[in-house]
Amino acid sequence: MNVVTAIGEARDRIRAARAEGKRIGFVPTMGYLHRGHLELVEISKRHSEYQVMSIFVNRIQFNDPKDFSSYPKDLQRDLDLARAAGVDLVFTPDEGEMYRNNLTTVDVSLLTDHLCGASRPGHFKGVFTVVSKLFNIIQPDVSIFGQKDIQQAVSIEKMVFDLNFPVKMIIAPTVREQDGLAMSSRNKHLDAEKRRNSVCIYRSLKRAEELLVSGETDSGRIRSAMEKTVLEGSPDRIDYISIVDYASLQPVERVSGKSVIAVAVFFGSTRLIDNMIIEFEGGGIKCVY
Amino acid sequence: MNVVTAIGEARDRIRAARAEGKRIGFVPTMGYLHRGHLELVEISKRHSEYQVMSIFVNRIQFNDPKDFSSYPKDLQRDLDLARAAGVDLVFTPDEGEMYRNNLTTVDVSLLTDHLCGASRPGHFKGVFTVVSKLFNIIQPDVSIFGQKDIQQAVSIEKMVFDLNFPVKMIIAPTVREQDGLAMSSRNKHLDAEKRRNSVCIYRSLKRAEELLVSGETDSGRIRSAMEKTVLEGSPDRIDYISIVDYASLQPVERVSGKSVIAVAVFFGSTRLIDNMIIEFEGGGIKCVY
């Protein structure tokens, strides 16, 4: 496995792989890898022959400087995990390599109005900008994003379409802990009690699924039931429980087409998110977590 | 020469050329070609073996709908000129091929505050967005932009740097009519008298060069002298006469480093622009028009 910090060297190595006829798979990360990231690499391998992972904690997407400075880091462990997962190239630039007096931003309107966009001003613009940069540096054939960050995944999918990036995007289902908590680098901030209680988020999605399967389609009633379930975990604050249309990410009053139920909850100062995608198939309902 | 309207077909043809080892040169245009555009193709040929030209009047960069609807068009003539110039592929999509419920925009801050950015709100965002799309569709090795649109050229240069587009950018000097008027598709809107008078713009740049060569560096005094020269052409309105730093495009009080003198003047409702780049070389001054 090659570990490179310079854009030029990353490009050279990828060019060499492409010249051997290999397709380039790309998993962007902010490091502190967990099984969720490694699953993205597994999926990428099914679609490509050369695996690139970026590890870069992208300051410009943190609306809260404290969240940035406390973001967990362990590069040596990350590299060991990436190597074991079969990654060919880790691109881990420093901030000076990525940003020099940056004036350019990429934004996707409407899709970022609600959900995390409402409580994290500037966050998505920072995400779109760094992903555009990484796409132009890596020039992947395929790139894999986790469903856990559903608003990110759907709006990057739209960005790829709108700007004609020559990249195939795949959104991979969320990988979970034994009890159902979505894997996240931020879970390490939870103490034992909060960690136990945090399963209420997953349970609230399960509760929504029960209601949907039983024929409930009213967003208000589904959200009320979810809120009750979340509150059983005594969170410090519920940021949102939202039901939105998949393509537009705008709230819906009634679940009728492809939709997303998304939840964001604070345990202490740690903000946890989770979601499920609802699809209607052959008269039935399919929920993807 | 191939003429294609579909993104997929453009990509296929360019991929085939690249597979033959050819470098891809790209000249984006809005059509109604003049010698200025053809000169860009000539320069592109020196750096690449397969010439792509796009012809697309990009509605989202027109802040004035009337300017969009009156923008001159003559596709057949354009294709004849492109063929004669040795273009290999003309990509001329319709609006539906380029934009379907577009939500994504690219912007470059600061560089678009002054000059044309001040009087054409939204214009540059539309330019950056379409150029990003075209870069992702064509994936050129080199792309040539005219100096006449200096603010566009400098800020796209910055966008390419900031977003790491794998494209080499070249800014080519302005091609002029016999009397010095910068070539522009909009010149056709001028009646005979306005056309004669419009040379005052070029003369004002020449006047600035005289002053600079004689040792004058005060922006205010240079601009006053230029204004006097422009007014000799009885324009309907001067939009701006500005002296700015080349890299930042911010106004300077004194010409000391690489700078741009830029002019925008209305003759009737037709807005004409021109500029010169000032470089200091070996104790002397070089002005590039």
Side-chain angles (χ1 to χ4, degrees), chain B residues 24-156:
Chain B
I24 311 301
F26 176 46
V27 175
T29 83
M30 299 208 297
Y32 212 74
L33 303 179
H34 51 67
R35 279 199 293 119
H37 298 106
L38 304 176
E39 176 64 17
L40 303 182
V41 175
E42 283 310 307
I43 293 170
S44 182
K45 283 178 179 172
R46 291 179 215 149
H47 301 271
S48 58
E49 292 77 37
Y50 187 83
Q51 303 312 319
V52 181
M53 174 186 281
S54 63
I55 298 179
F56 178 65
V57 185
N58 179 41
R59 184 196 298 264
I60 70 165
Q61 78 186 60
F62 285 81
N63 50 303
D64 175 0
K66 266 189 234 147
D67 188 25
F68 173 73
S69 56
S70 71
Y71 200 84
K73 288 177 195 65
D74 189 343
L75 184 60
Q76 197 46 60
R77 184 174 155 276
D78 287 348
L79 296 180
D80 292 343
L81 287 168
R83 190 177 293 109
V87 169
D88 297 290
L89 177 74
V90 170
F91 174 55
T92 174
D94 65 18
E95 208 163 304
E97 182 72 359
M98 286 294 275
Y99 295 112
R100 262 174 283 174
N101 182 29
N102 180 58
L103 301 177
T104 307
T105 49
V106 182
D107 208 0
V108 181
S109 64
L110 291 175
L111 301 191
T112 52
D113 289 353
H114 297 289
L115 309 179
C116 296
S119 51
R120 301 190 67 187
H123 165 65
F124 282 108
K125 206 186 245 202
V127 171
F128 303 140
T129 302
V130 78
V131 171
S132 293
K133 288 171 67 69
L134 291 168
F135 280 175
N136 284 337
I137 293 166
I138 311 294
Q139 296 182 262
D141 295 283
V142 60
S143 187
I144 323 292
F145 291 80
Q147 180 186 327
K148 202 208 72 178
D149 299 294
I150 186 70
Q151 188 171 19
Q152 166 177 291
V154 169
S155 30
I156 291 176

Side-chain angles (χ1 to χ4, degrees), chain B:
Chain B
M1 185 178 79
N2 289 298
V3 181
V4 306
T5 56
I7 292 170
E9 192 186 347
R11 284 192 161 135
D12 289 345
R13 292 197 181 271
I14 291 163
R15 194 179 299 118
R18 193 176 284 113
E20 291 171 17
K22 292 178 177 165
R23 288 170 298 173
I24 311 301
F26 176 46
V27 175
T29 83
M30 299 208 297
Y32 212 74
L33 303 179
H34 51 67
R35 279 199 293 119
H37 298 106
L38 304 176
E39 176 64 17
L40 303 182
V41 175
E42 283 310 307
I43 293 170
S44 182
K45 283 178 179 172
R46 291 179 215 149
H47 301 271
S48 58
E49 292 77 37
Y50 187 83
Q51 303 312 319
V52 181
M53 174 186 281
S54 63
I55 298 179
F56 178 65
V57 185
N58 179 41
R59 184 196 298 264
I60 70 165
Q61 78 186 60
F62 285 81
N63 50 303
D64 175 0
K66 266 189 234 147
D67 188 25
F68 173 73
S69 56
S70 71
Y71 200 84
K73 288 177 195 65
D74 189 343
L75 184 60
Q76 197 46 60
R77 184 174 155 276
D78 287 348
L79 296 180
D80 292 343
L81 287 168
R83 190 177 293 109
V87 169
D88 297 290
L89 177 74
V90 170
F91 174 55
T92 174
D94 65 18
E95 208 163 304
E97 182 72 359
M98 286 294 275
Y99 295 112
R100 262 174 283 174
N101 182 29
N102 180 58
L103 301 177
T104 307
T105 49
V106 182
D107 208 0
V108 181
S109 64
L110 291 175
L111 301 191
T112 52
D113 289 353
H114 297 289
L115 309 179
C116 296
S119 51
R120 301 190 67 187
H123 165 65
F124 282 108
K125 206 186 245 202
V127 171
F128 303 140
T129 302
V130 78
V131 171
S132 293
K133 288 171 67 69
L134 291 168
F135 280 175
N136 284 337
I137 293 166
I138 311 294
Q139 296 182 262
D141 295 283
V142 60
S143 187
I144 323 292
F145 291 80
Q147 180 186 327
K148 202 208 72 178
D149 299 294
I150 186 70
Q151 188 171 19
Q152 166 177 291
V154 169
S155 30
I156 291 176
E157 210 168 35
K158 181 66 175 143
M159 177 188 86
V160 164
F161 178 85
D162 284 349
L163 294 186
N164 307 97
F165 277 103
V167 179
K168 179 182 165 66
M169 258 202 68
I170 294 174
I171 301 179
T174 304
V175 177
R176 299 176 178 282
E177 304 286 354
Q178 202 74 41
D179 64 356
L181 177 67
M183 295 245 173
S184 165
S185 307
R186 288 189 178 88
N187 292 352
K188 80 166 290 245
H189 295 317
L190 303 170
D191 64 27
E193 190 192 349
K194 290 188 200 304
R195 172 62 192 82
R196 267 195 312 278
N197 287 339
S198 63
V199 71
C200 68
I201 301 171
Y202 176 66
R203 285 196 187 131
S204 76
L205 294 173
K206 282 284 182 199
R207 177 77 186 110
E209 183 175 20
E210 277 171 28
L211 289 167
L212 284 159
V213 168
S214 77
E216 180 64 80
T217 60
D218 182 85
S219 292
R221 280 199 289 269
I222 296 169
R223 291 169 60 221
S224 296
M226 291 177 68
E227 188 179 341
K228 214 176 131 202
T229 307
V230 168
L231 290 174
E232 285 164 14
S234 307
D236 289 81
R237 185 159 71 82
I238 296 178
D239 186 7
Y240 63 74
I241 298 173
S242 292
I243 308 185
V244 298
D245 173 62
Y246 179 89
S248 71
L249 299 185
Q250 301 295 306
V252 293
E253 291 198 16
R254 200 161 277 287
V255 183
S256 57
K258 189 172 181 180
S259 314
V260 174
I261 300 190
V263 184
V265 173
F266 280 91
F267 280 89
S269 60
T270 304
R271 191 169 167 282
L272 301 176
I273 59 175
D274 204 345
N275 70 82
M276 73 182 188
I277 300 171
I278 302 154
E279 292 185 87
F280 290 80
E281 284 188 350
I285 272 185
K286 191 179 135 200
C287 293
V288 180
Y289 294 82

Side-chain angles (χ1 to χ4, degrees), chain A residues 106-112 128 155 158-159 162, chain B residues 103-105:
Chain A
V106 182
D107 208 359
V108 182
S109 65
L110 290 176
L111 302 191
T112 53
F128 303 139
S155 32
K158 180 67 174 143
M159 177 188 86
D162 284 349
Chain B
L103 301 177
T104 307
T105 49

Side-chain angles (χ1 to χ4, degrees), chain A residues 60-78:
Chain A
I60 69 164
Q61 78 184 63
F62 284 83
N63 50 304
D64 176 358
K66 267 190 233 146
D67 187 25
F68 173 73
S69 56
S70 71
Y71 201 84
K73 287 177 195 64
D74 190 343
L75 184 61
Q76 197 46 61
R77 185 174 154 276
D78 286 348

